[in-house]
Amino acid sequence: MEAHSAGLRRVILLAFCIAGIWAAYIYQGVVQETLSTKRFGPDGERFEHLAFLNLAQSVVCLIWSFMMIKMWSRSSGGGAPWWSYWSAGITNTIGPAMGIEALKYISYPAQVLAKSSKMIPVMLMGSLVYGIRYTLPEYLCTFLVAGGVSTFALLKTSSKTISKLAHPNAPLGYGLCFLNLAFDGFTNATQDSLTARYPKTTAWDIMLGMNLWGTIYNIVYMFGWPYGMGYDAVQFCKQHPEAAWDILYYCLCGAVGQNFIFLTISRFGSLANTTITTTRKFVSIVVSSVLSGNPLSTKQWGSVAMVFSGLSYQIFLKWRKLQKVQKKRKNN
């Protein structure tokens, strides 16, 4: 009876994590798309300073992580020092800014698909630079994802979707997304190196360190000279308060979403988190197509299915590998 009760609580907690991640990031996607396509005021002005979202997100997450450490952290020190995040902070500032800027040139569904293909640069770097050999199923996953993204990019986008973009330019938009992935790869590798060097480092420590440097770099970049874009962004928000509210909602969604991701990883592991976030991306594309009026053709939906088939197969391979490791541990 007690085991059944514990199992039920675990299922409820998992459902809570799924609902939290989906709600936070799907709504964040809606707000992000709104900010990149909406025309504000009687003059129909666009919010052109999308990189400002990166600064706002860094500030909110910095405050949030500081509060969480003070409220919940039981760590007695021994984590990575704050200054050690300086290099990862650079790539974590540039990468996401490029991903957000891409929304000026390609649609939100296209951006989500392109950013879902993180395995492509990882495998390219692994095989070309480090000489890592991958299995045939892993190459099949990469082929499905790369083929799906490429096909989606080559198919004609509806005129309705193009009309919403600030500066339609598919090659530039996809290029920014893939540069974002490349910078993310360095950021993740640096974070892994820090946690290996300082095992007592918590998720909140990483969030605090990364966003501290992200805030510093973004403030210097946006307000470091008289005509920095930060001043224009603040002025735009003063003239159009609804844009300021959208930015606040965007940031809060990111901070809340991080909470649920950390909770999911700590209680259910990274594989469960990967599965939840992957399905969330698919739902985000559906929501964008239905609510935001970004119609996709049958062929484009086929490309979406191709990408998420590859991602789903990759999750299955990770699960099977994890099962083998656990079985080996039991036998030993």
Side-chain angles (χ1 to χ4, degrees):
M1 186 69 181
E2 189 176 331
H4 180 267
S5 179
L8 181 62
R9 284 198 300 270
R10 189 170 171 81
V11 169
I12 292 172
L13 180 60
L14 179 60
F16 180 63
C17 290
I18 293 170
I21 291 173
W22 279 30
Y25 286 111
I26 289 173
Y27 186 66
Q28 187 186 48
V30 171
V31 175
Q32 186 181 47
E33 187 172 7
T34 299
L35 278 166
S36 65
T37 59
K38 185 177 177 179
R39 294 183 179 273
F40 295 87
D43 297 331
E45 291 183 88
R46 287 182 182 272
F47 183 70
E48 293 277 358
H49 319 288
L50 293 178
F52 184 75
L53 292 175
N54 210 23
L55 169 59
Q57 180 80 90
S58 293
V59 172
V60 171
C61 286
L62 175 63
I63 297 169
W64 188 280
S65 57
F66 181 78
M67 289 169 54
M68 292 299 106
I69 287 172
K70 291 298 180 183
M71 289 169 60
W72 304 109
S73 180
R74 299 173 184 173
S75 175
S76 57
W82 65 271
W83 51 262
S84 61
Y85 295 94
W86 72 269
S87 60
I90 295 174
T91 52
N92 195 49
T93 300
I94 299 172
M98 288 181 166
I100 292 171
E101 282 291 312
L103 288 172
K104 291 181 181 179
Y105 311 105
I106 56 176
S107 68
Y108 180 72
Q111 186 228 35
V112 172
L113 269 193
K115 290 176 71 174
S116 297
S117 56
K118 187 179 285 189
M119 67 175 74
I120 298 172
V122 169
M123 288 185 70
L124 279 174
M125 291 291 287
S127 58
L128 296 177
V129 179
Y130 299 107
I132 299 173
R133 292 186 177 183
Y134 296 96
T135 63
L136 186 61
E138 286 174 323
Y139 280 115
L140 177 60
C141 291
T142 307
F143 172 77
L144 286 169
V145 173
V149 173
S150 302
T151 306
F152 190 96
L154 293 172
L155 290 170
K156 186 179 179 182
T157 306
S158 73
S159 56
K160 185 178 179 181
T161 300
I162 291 175
S163 66
K164 292 182 177 183
L165 301 177
H167 311 287
N169 187 330
L172 179 56
Y174 283 106
L176 286 170
C177 285
F178 289 124
L179 282 173
N180 179 11
L181 292 179
F183 280 111
D184 280 355
F186 179 84
T187 301
N188 294 338
T190 307
Q191 288 177 349
D192 290 343
S193 173
L194 286 171
T195 52
R197 209 182 318 160
Y198 304 97
K200 292 185 179 180
T201 302
T202 67
W204 296 120
D205 292 331
I206 294 173
M207 191 175 178
L208 181 71
M210 296 295 291
N211 286 292
L212 172 64
W213 285 104
T215 300
I216 293 169
Y217 293 141
N218 275 299
I219 287 175
V220 171
Y221 170 61
M222 294 185 185
F223 296 97
W225 48 82
Y227 301 103
M229 74 163 67
Y231 297 105
D232 294 333
V234 171
Q235 187 61 33
F236 187 94
C237 290
K238 286 181 179 178
Q239 293 174 351
H240 307 286
E242 64 268 35
W245 282 109
D246 283 342
I247 292 170
L248 178 61
Y249 296 147
Y250 172 87
C251 296
L252 289 176
C253 284
V256 171
Q258 286 285 340
N259 255 353
F260 281 105
I261 283 177
F262 293 155
L263 178 61
T264 303
I265 292 173
S266 64
R267 297 298 179 89
F268 303 100
S270 59
L271 184 59
N273 180 64
T274 302
T275 306
I276 295 167
T277 53
T278 299
T279 51
R280 189 275 304 171
K281 289 174 183 176
F282 181 79
V283 175
S284 291
I285 292 175
V286 175
V287 169
S288 174
S289 180
V290 175
L291 294 185
S292 303
N294 290 323
L296 301 182
S297 66
T298 305
K299 290 180 179 178
Q300 284 178 317
W301 277 117
S303 300
V304 171
M306 193 173 176
V307 170
F308 283 96
S309 295
L311 294 175
S312 300
Y313 189 36
Q314 183 193 40
I315 290 170
F316 170 74
L317 292 175
K318 287 182 178 178
W319 174 81
R320 195 168 64 178
K321 188 176 181 180
L322 184 64
Q323 293 293 104
K324 287 180 179 178
V325 171
Q326 290 175 344
K327 190 175 181 180
K328 192 174 181 180
R329 284 177 182 170
K330 285 181 181 179
N331 292 336
N332 291 338

Short mmCIF file of all heavy atoms in Angstrom, two decimals, residues 154-210:
data_model
loop_
_atom_site.label_atom_id
_atom_site.label_comp_id
_atom_site.label_asym_id
_atom_site.label_seq_id
_atom_site.Cartn_x
_atom_site.Cartn_y
_atom_site.Cartn_z
N LEU A 154 13.61 24.72 -47.34
CA LEU A 154 13.53 24.87 -48.79
C LEU A 154 12.10 25.03 -49.29
O LEU A 154 11.88 25.59 -50.37
CB LEU A 154 14.18 23.65 -49.47
CG LEU A 154 15.70 23.53 -49.29
CD1 LEU A 154 16.19 22.19 -49.84
CD2 LEU A 154 16.42 24.68 -50.00
N LEU A 155 11.13 24.55 -48.49
CA LEU A 155 9.73 24.68 -48.91
C LEU A 155 9.28 26.13 -48.81
O LEU A 155 9.73 26.89 -47.96
CB LEU A 155 8.84 23.79 -48.04
CG LEU A 155 8.98 22.28 -48.25
CD1 LEU A 155 8.24 21.52 -47.16
CD2 LEU A 155 8.45 21.88 -49.63
N LYS A 156 8.36 26.50 -49.66
CA LYS A 156 7.87 27.88 -49.71
C LYS A 156 7.02 28.19 -48.48
O LYS A 156 6.10 27.45 -48.13
CB LYS A 156 7.04 28.09 -50.98
CG LYS A 156 6.62 29.55 -51.18
CD LYS A 156 5.83 29.71 -52.47
CE LYS A 156 5.39 31.17 -52.66
NZ LYS A 156 4.59 31.35 -53.89
N THR A 157 7.34 29.30 -47.81
CA THR A 157 6.57 29.75 -46.65
C THR A 157 5.37 30.55 -47.11
O THR A 157 5.44 31.28 -48.10
CB THR A 157 7.46 30.63 -45.73
OG1 THR A 157 8.64 29.90 -45.40
CG2 THR A 157 6.72 31.01 -44.46
N SER A 158 4.26 30.43 -46.41
CA SER A 158 3.04 31.13 -46.82
C SER A 158 3.25 32.64 -46.78
O SER A 158 4.00 33.17 -45.95
CB SER A 158 1.87 30.74 -45.90
OG SER A 158 2.02 31.34 -44.63
N SER A 159 2.58 33.34 -47.68
CA SER A 159 2.70 34.79 -47.77
C SER A 159 2.21 35.46 -46.48
O SER A 159 2.70 36.51 -46.08
CB SER A 159 1.91 35.32 -48.97
OG SER A 159 0.56 34.91 -48.89
N LYS A 160 1.23 34.85 -45.82
CA LYS A 160 0.68 35.39 -44.57
C LYS A 160 1.75 35.40 -43.49
O LYS A 160 1.89 36.37 -42.73
CB LYS A 160 -0.52 34.56 -44.12
CG LYS A 160 -1.23 35.12 -42.90
CD LYS A 160 -2.44 34.27 -42.53
CE LYS A 160 -3.13 34.84 -41.29
NZ LYS A 160 -4.30 34.02 -40.88
N THR A 161 2.53 34.32 -43.42
CA THR A 161 3.60 34.23 -42.42
C THR A 161 4.71 35.22 -42.74
O THR A 161 5.23 35.91 -41.85
CB THR A 161 4.17 32.80 -42.37
OG1 THR A 161 3.13 31.89 -42.01
CG2 THR A 161 5.29 32.69 -41.34
N ILE A 162 5.09 35.30 -44.01
CA ILE A 162 6.17 36.21 -44.43
C ILE A 162 5.81 37.66 -44.14
O ILE A 162 6.66 38.45 -43.73
CB ILE A 162 6.48 36.01 -45.94
CG1 ILE A 162 7.13 34.65 -46.16
CG2 ILE A 162 7.39 37.12 -46.45
CD1 ILE A 162 7.36 34.30 -47.62
N SER A 163 4.54 38.01 -44.33
CA SER A 163 4.10 39.40 -44.13
C SER A 163 4.27 39.86 -42.68
O SER A 163 4.35 41.05 -42.40
CB SER A 163 2.65 39.56 -44.55
OG SER A 163 1.78 38.82 -43.68
N LYS A 164 4.34 38.90 -41.74
CA LYS A 164 4.48 39.25 -40.31
C LYS A 164 5.93 39.49 -39.92
O LYS A 164 6.19 40.07 -38.86
CB LYS A 164 3.92 38.13 -39.43
CG LYS A 164 2.41 37.96 -39.52
CD LYS A 164 1.97 36.86 -38.57
CE LYS A 164 0.47 36.70 -38.57
NZ LYS A 164 0.03 35.68 -37.59
N LEU A 165 6.87 39.02 -40.73
CA LEU A 165 8.28 39.14 -40.37
C LEU A 165 8.79 40.55 -40.62
O LEU A 165 8.38 41.22 -41.56
CB LEU A 165 9.12 38.14 -41.18
CG LEU A 165 8.74 36.66 -41.02
CD1 LEU A 165 9.60 35.80 -41.94
CD2 LEU A 165 8.92 36.21 -39.57
N ALA A 166 9.71 41.00 -39.75
CA ALA A 166 10.27 42.35 -39.88
C ALA A 166 11.14 42.46 -41.13
O ALA A 166 11.03 43.42 -41.90
CB ALA A 166 11.07 42.70 -38.63
N HIS A 167 12.02 41.47 -41.33
CA HIS A 167 12.94 41.49 -42.47
C HIS A 167 13.11 40.07 -43.00
O HIS A 167 14.10 39.40 -42.65
CB HIS A 167 14.31 42.06 -42.08
CG HIS A 167 14.23 43.35 -41.32
ND1 HIS A 167 13.91 44.54 -41.92
CD2 HIS A 167 14.43 43.62 -40.00
CE1 HIS A 167 13.91 45.51 -41.01
NE2 HIS A 167 14.22 44.97 -39.84
N PRO A 168 12.17 39.56 -43.78
CA PRO A 168 12.25 38.15 -44.24
C PRO A 168 13.57 37.85 -44.94
O PRO A 168 13.93 38.50 -45.91
CB PRO A 168 11.07 38.05 -45.22
CG PRO A 168 10.14 39.15 -44.84
CD PRO A 168 11.01 40.26 -44.34
N ASN A 169 14.29 36.87 -44.40
CA ASN A 169 15.57 36.47 -44.99
C ASN A 169 15.93 35.10 -44.42
O ASN A 169 16.60 35.00 -43.39
CB ASN A 169 16.66 37.50 -44.67
CG ASN A 169 17.96 37.23 -45.39
OD1 ASN A 169 18.30 36.08 -45.68
ND2 ASN A 169 18.71 38.29 -45.69
N ALA A 170 15.48 34.04 -45.09
CA ALA A 170 15.63 32.68 -44.57
C ALA A 170 17.09 32.27 -44.33
O ALA A 170 17.42 31.75 -43.26
CB ALA A 170 14.94 31.68 -45.49
N PRO A 171 18.01 32.50 -45.30
CA PRO A 171 19.40 32.08 -45.05
C PRO A 171 20.00 32.73 -43.82
O PRO A 171 20.69 32.07 -43.03
CB PRO A 171 20.13 32.54 -46.33
CG PRO A 171 19.08 32.56 -47.38
CD PRO A 171 17.83 33.01 -46.67
N LEU A 172 19.73 34.03 -43.63
CA LEU A 172 20.27 34.72 -42.46
C LEU A 172 19.63 34.20 -41.18
O LEU A 172 20.31 33.98 -40.17
CB LEU A 172 20.03 36.23 -42.59
CG LEU A 172 20.52 37.12 -41.43
CD1 LEU A 172 22.01 36.90 -41.19
CD2 LEU A 172 20.24 38.59 -41.73
N GLY A 173 18.32 33.98 -41.21
CA GLY A 173 17.61 33.48 -40.03
C GLY A 173 18.11 32.11 -39.59
O GLY A 173 18.41 31.89 -38.40
N TYR A 174 18.22 31.18 -40.55
CA TYR A 174 18.72 29.83 -40.21
C TYR A 174 20.19 29.88 -39.80
O TYR A 174 20.63 29.14 -38.92
CB TYR A 174 18.53 28.89 -41.40
CG TYR A 174 17.11 28.41 -41.57
CD1 TYR A 174 16.30 28.89 -42.59
CD2 TYR A 174 16.56 27.47 -40.69
CE1 TYR A 174 14.99 28.46 -42.74
CE2 TYR A 174 15.25 27.04 -40.83
CZ TYR A 174 14.47 27.53 -41.86
OH TYR A 174 13.17 27.11 -41.99
N GLY A 175 20.96 30.77 -40.44
CA GLY A 175 22.37 30.91 -40.08
C GLY A 175 22.53 31.35 -38.63
O GLY A 175 23.38 30.83 -37.90
N LEU A 176 21.70 32.30 -38.20
CA LEU A 176 21.74 32.76 -36.81
C LEU A 176 21.37 31.63 -35.85
O LEU A 176 21.97 31.49 -34.77
CB LEU A 176 20.77 33.94 -36.62
CG LEU A 176 21.23 35.28 -37.22
CD1 LEU A 176 20.10 36.30 -37.18
CD2 LEU A 176 22.45 35.82 -36.47
N CYS A 177 20.38 30.82 -36.23
CA CYS A 177 19.97 29.69 -35.37
C CYS A 177 21.10 28.69 -35.20
O CYS A 177 21.34 28.20 -34.08
CB CYS A 177 18.75 28.99 -35.96
SG CYS A 177 17.20 29.90 -35.75
N PHE A 178 21.80 28.38 -36.28
CA PHE A 178 22.88 27.39 -36.18
C PHE A 178 24.10 27.95 -35.45
O PHE A 178 24.81 27.21 -34.75
CB PHE A 178 23.25 26.88 -37.57
CG PHE A 178 22.19 26.00 -38.19
CD1 PHE A 178 21.64 26.29 -39.42
CD2 PHE A 178 21.69 24.90 -37.49
CE1 PHE A 178 20.64 25.50 -39.97
CE2 PHE A 178 20.69 24.11 -38.03
CZ PHE A 178 20.16 24.40 -39.27
N LEU A 179 24.34 29.26 -35.57
CA LEU A 179 25.39 29.88 -34.76
C LEU A 179 25.01 29.83 -33.28
O LEU A 179 25.86 29.61 -32.41
CB LEU A 179 25.61 31.33 -35.20
CG LEU A 179 26.42 31.54 -36.47
CD1 LEU A 179 26.41 33.02 -36.88
CD2 LEU A 179 27.87 31.08 -36.28
N ASN A 180 23.72 30.02 -33.01
CA ASN A 180 23.21 29.89 -31.65
C ASN A 180 23.52 28.51 -31.09
O ASN A 180 23.99 28.38 -29.95
CB ASN A 180 21.70 30.15 -31.67
CG ASN A 180 21.04 30.02 -30.30
OD1 ASN A 180 21.70 29.93 -29.27
ND2 ASN A 180 19.74 29.99 -30.28
N LEU A 181 23.28 27.47 -31.89
CA LEU A 181 23.55 26.10 -31.45
C LEU A 181 25.04 25.89 -31.18
O LEU A 181 25.43 25.21 -30.23
CB LEU A 181 23.07 25.11 -32.51
CG LEU A 181 21.55 25.01 -32.72
CD1 LEU A 181 21.25 24.00 -33.82
CD2 LEU A 181 20.85 24.62 -31.44
N ALA A 182 25.89 26.47 -32.06
CA ALA A 182 27.34 26.32 -31.89
C ALA A 182 27.80 26.96 -30.57
O ALA A 182 28.58 26.37 -29.82
CB ALA A 182 28.07 26.96 -33.07
N PHE A 183 27.31 28.16 -30.29
CA PHE A 183 27.66 28.83 -29.03
C PHE A 183 27.10 28.07 -27.83
O PHE A 183 27.75 27.96 -26.78
CB PHE A 183 27.13 30.27 -29.03
CG PHE A 183 27.99 31.23 -29.81
CD1 PHE A 183 27.55 31.79 -31.00
CD2 PHE A 183 29.25 31.57 -29.34
CE1 PHE A 183 28.35 32.67 -31.71
CE2 PHE A 183 30.06 32.46 -30.05
CZ PHE A 183 29.61 33.01 -31.24
N ASP A 184 25.89 27.52 -27.98
CA ASP A 184 25.29 26.72 -26.90
C ASP A 184 26.14 25.50 -26.58
O ASP A 184 26.26 25.09 -25.42
CB ASP A 184 23.87 26.26 -27.29
CG ASP A 184 22.84 27.36 -27.08
OD1 ASP A 184 23.20 28.43 -26.54
OD2 ASP A 184 21.68 27.16 -27.45
N GLY A 185 26.73 24.91 -27.64
CA GLY A 185 27.58 23.74 -27.45
C GLY A 185 28.78 24.07 -26.58
O GLY A 185 29.13 23.30 -25.67
N PHE A 186 29.40 25.22 -26.81
CA PHE A 186 30.54 25.64 -25.99
C PHE A 186 30.08 25.93 -24.56
O PHE A 186 30.76 25.56 -23.60
CB PHE A 186 31.20 26.89 -26.59
CG PHE A 186 32.36 27.40 -25.78
CD1 PHE A 186 33.63 26.86 -25.95
CD2 PHE A 186 32.19 28.41 -24.85
CE1 PHE A 186 34.71 27.32 -25.19
CE2 PHE A 186 33.26 28.87 -24.08
CZ PHE A 186 34.52 28.33 -24.26
N THR A 187 28.92 26.60 -24.44
CA THR A 187 28.38 26.92 -23.11
C THR A 187 28.16 25.66 -22.30
O THR A 187 28.56 25.57 -21.12
CB THR A 187 27.06 27.70 -23.24
OG1 THR A 187 27.28 28.90 -23.98
CG2 THR A 187 26.51 28.07 -21.87
N ASN A 188 27.50 24.66 -22.91
CA ASN A 188 27.21 23.40 -22.21
C ASN A 188 28.49 22.67 -21.81
O ASN A 188 28.59 22.12 -20.71
CB ASN A 188 26.34 22.49 -23.08
CG ASN A 188 24.96 23.07 -23.32
OD1 ASN A 188 24.49 23.90 -22.55
ND2 ASN A 188 24.31 22.66 -24.38
N ALA A 189 29.47 22.66 -22.72
CA ALA A 189 30.74 21.99 -22.43
C ALA A 189 31.46 22.65 -21.26
O ALA A 189 32.03 21.97 -20.39
CB ALA A 189 31.63 22.01 -23.67
N THR A 190 31.42 23.98 -21.22
CA THR A 190 32.07 24.72 -20.13
C THR A 190 31.37 24.46 -18.80
O THR A 190 32.01 24.27 -17.76
CB THR A 190 32.08 26.24 -20.42
OG1 THR A 190 32.67 26.46 -21.70
CG2 THR A 190 32.88 26.99 -19.36
N GLN A 191 30.03 24.43 -18.82
CA GLN A 191 29.27 24.13 -17.62
C GLN A 191 29.58 22.74 -17.09
O GLN A 191 29.76 22.54 -15.88
CB GLN A 191 27.76 24.26 -17.89
CG GLN A 191 27.30 25.70 -18.06
CD GLN A 191 25.82 25.79 -18.40
OE1 GLN A 191 25.18 24.78 -18.71
NE2 GLN A 191 25.28 26.99 -18.37
N ASP A 192 29.67 21.76 -18.01
CA ASP A 192 30.01 20.39 -17.61
C ASP A 192 31.41 20.33 -16.99
O ASP A 192 31.64 19.61 -16.01
CB ASP A 192 29.96 19.45 -18.83
CG ASP A 192 28.53 19.23 -19.33
OD1 ASP A 192 27.59 19.52 -18.56
OD2 ASP A 192 28.37 18.80 -20.48
N SER A 193 32.33 21.10 -17.56
CA SER A 193 33.70 21.14 -17.05
C SER A 193 33.72 21.72 -15.63
O SER A 193 34.43 21.21 -14.75
CB SER A 193 34.58 21.99 -17.97
OG SER A 193 35.85 22.19 -17.42
N LEU A 194 32.94 22.77 -15.40
CA LEU A 194 32.89 23.41 -14.09
C LEU A 194 32.28 22.48 -13.03
O LEU A 194 32.78 22.39 -11.90
CB LEU A 194 32.09 24.71 -14.15
CG LEU A 194 32.79 25.90 -14.83
CD1 LEU A 194 31.82 27.05 -15.01
CD2 LEU A 194 33.99 26.35 -14.01
N THR A 195 31.20 21.78 -13.40
CA THR A 195 30.57 20.87 -12.44
C THR A 195 31.46 19.67 -12.14
O THR A 195 31.42 19.12 -11.03
CB THR A 195 29.20 20.39 -12.95
OG1 THR A 195 29.35 19.86 -14.28
CG2 THR A 195 28.18 21.51 -12.98
N ALA A 196 32.28 19.26 -13.13
CA ALA A 196 33.23 18.16 -12.89
C ALA A 196 34.36 18.62 -11.97
O ALA A 196 34.84 17.86 -11.11
CB ALA A 196 33.79 17.67 -14.22
N ARG A 197 34.79 19.87 -12.13
CA ARG A 197 35.88 20.42 -11.32
C ARG A 197 35.41 20.78 -9.91
O ARG A 197 36.16 20.68 -8.94
CB ARG A 197 36.45 21.67 -12.01
CG ARG A 197 37.93 21.91 -11.69
CD ARG A 197 38.45 23.18 -12.34
NE ARG A 197 37.96 23.35 -13.71
CZ ARG A 197 37.94 24.51 -14.35
NH1 ARG A 197 38.35 25.61 -13.74
NH2 ARG A 197 37.51 24.59 -15.59
N TYR A 198 34.16 21.23 -9.83
CA TYR A 198 33.58 21.62 -8.54
C TYR A 198 32.28 20.83 -8.33
O TYR A 198 31.19 21.31 -8.64
CB TYR A 198 33.28 23.12 -8.50
CG TYR A 198 34.48 24.00 -8.80
CD1 TYR A 198 34.70 24.52 -10.08
CD2 TYR A 198 35.38 24.34 -7.79
CE1 TYR A 198 35.78 25.34 -10.34
CE2 TYR A 198 36.47 25.16 -8.04
CZ TYR A 198 36.67 25.65 -9.33
OH TYR A 198 37.74 26.46 -9.59
N PRO A 199 32.38 19.60 -7.84
CA PRO A 199 31.20 18.71 -7.73
C PRO A 199 30.06 19.24 -6.87
O PRO A 199 28.92 18.83 -7.03
CB PRO A 199 31.78 17.42 -7.12
CG PRO A 199 33.26 17.50 -7.39
CD PRO A 199 33.60 18.94 -7.36
N LYS A 200 30.36 20.16 -5.95
CA LYS A 200 29.32 20.68 -5.06
C LYS A 200 28.52 21.82 -5.70
O LYS A 200 27.64 22.39 -5.05
CB LYS A 200 29.95 21.17 -3.75
CG LYS A 200 30.51 20.04 -2.89
CD LYS A 200 31.01 20.57 -1.56
CE LYS A 200 31.54 19.43 -0.69
NZ LYS A 200 32.03 19.93 0.62
N THR A 201 28.81 22.12 -6.96
CA THR A 201 28.08 23.18 -7.66
C THR A 201 26.65 22.75 -7.91
O THR A 201 26.40 21.68 -8.45
CB THR A 201 28.76 23.50 -9.01
OG1 THR A 201 30.11 23.90 -8.78
CG2 THR A 201 28.03 24.63 -9.73
N THR A 202 25.69 23.58 -7.51
CA THR A 202 24.27 23.28 -7.70
C THR A 202 23.75 23.95 -8.97
O THR A 202 24.42 24.83 -9.54
CB THR A 202 23.44 23.76 -6.50
OG1 THR A 202 23.48 25.21 -6.46
CG2 THR A 202 23.97 23.20 -5.20
N ALA A 203 22.55 23.54 -9.39
CA ALA A 203 21.92 24.15 -10.57
C ALA A 203 21.70 25.65 -10.35
O ALA A 203 21.84 26.46 -11.27
CB ALA A 203 20.59 23.46 -10.85
N TRP A 204 21.36 26.01 -9.09
CA TRP A 204 21.14 27.44 -8.79
C TRP A 204 22.44 28.22 -8.87
O TRP A 204 22.45 29.39 -9.29
CB TRP A 204 20.52 27.59 -7.41
CG TRP A 204 19.16 27.00 -7.30
CD1 TRP A 204 18.76 26.00 -6.45
CD2 TRP A 204 18.01 27.33 -8.07
NE1 TRP A 204 17.44 25.71 -6.65
CE2 TRP A 204 16.95 26.50 -7.64
CE3 TRP A 204 17.77 28.25 -9.09
CZ2 TRP A 204 15.69 26.56 -8.19
CZ3 TRP A 204 16.50 28.32 -9.65
CH2 TRP A 204 15.47 27.48 -9.20
N ASP A 205 23.58 27.59 -8.46
CA ASP A 205 24.88 28.25 -8.57
C ASP A 205 25.20 28.55 -10.03
O ASP A 205 25.67 29.65 -10.36
CB ASP A 205 25.99 27.35 -7.99
CG ASP A 205 25.87 27.17 -6.49
OD1 ASP A 205 25.35 28.08 -5.83
OD2 ASP A 205 26.28 26.10 -5.99
N ILE A 206 24.93 27.57 -10.90
CA ILE A 206 25.19 27.75 -12.34
C ILE A 206 24.30 28.86 -12.89
O ILE A 206 24.76 29.74 -13.63
CB ILE A 206 24.93 26.43 -13.10
CG1 ILE A 206 25.94 25.37 -12.68
CG2 ILE A 206 24.98 26.66 -14.61
CD1 ILE A 206 25.66 23.99 -13.24
N MET A 207 23.01 28.84 -12.52
CA MET A 207 22.07 29.85 -12.99
C MET A 207 22.51 31.25 -12.54
O MET A 207 22.46 32.21 -13.33
CB MET A 207 20.67 29.53 -12.46
CG MET A 207 19.56 30.34 -13.11
SD MET A 207 17.94 29.77 -12.51
CE MET A 207 16.86 30.91 -13.37
N LEU A 208 22.96 31.36 -11.28
CA LEU A 208 23.41 32.65 -10.76
C LEU A 208 24.67 33.13 -11.48
O LEU A 208 24.73 34.29 -11.93
CB LEU A 208 23.69 32.52 -9.25
CG LEU A 208 24.16 33.81 -8.55
CD1 LEU A 208 23.01 34.80 -8.44
CD2 LEU A 208 24.72 33.50 -7.17
N GLY A 209 25.67 32.25 -11.61
CA GLY A 209 26.93 32.63 -12.26
C GLY A 209 26.75 33.01 -13.71
O GLY A 209 27.29 34.03 -14.17
N MET A 210 25.98 32.21 -14.45
CA MET A 210 25.77 32.48 -15.87
C MET A 210 25.03 33.80 -16.08
O MET A 210 25.38 34.60 -16.95
CB MET A 210 24.97 31.33 -16.50
CG MET A 210 25.67 29.99 -16.50
SD MET A 210 27.16 29.96 -17.52
CE MET A 210 26.43 30.09 -19.13
#
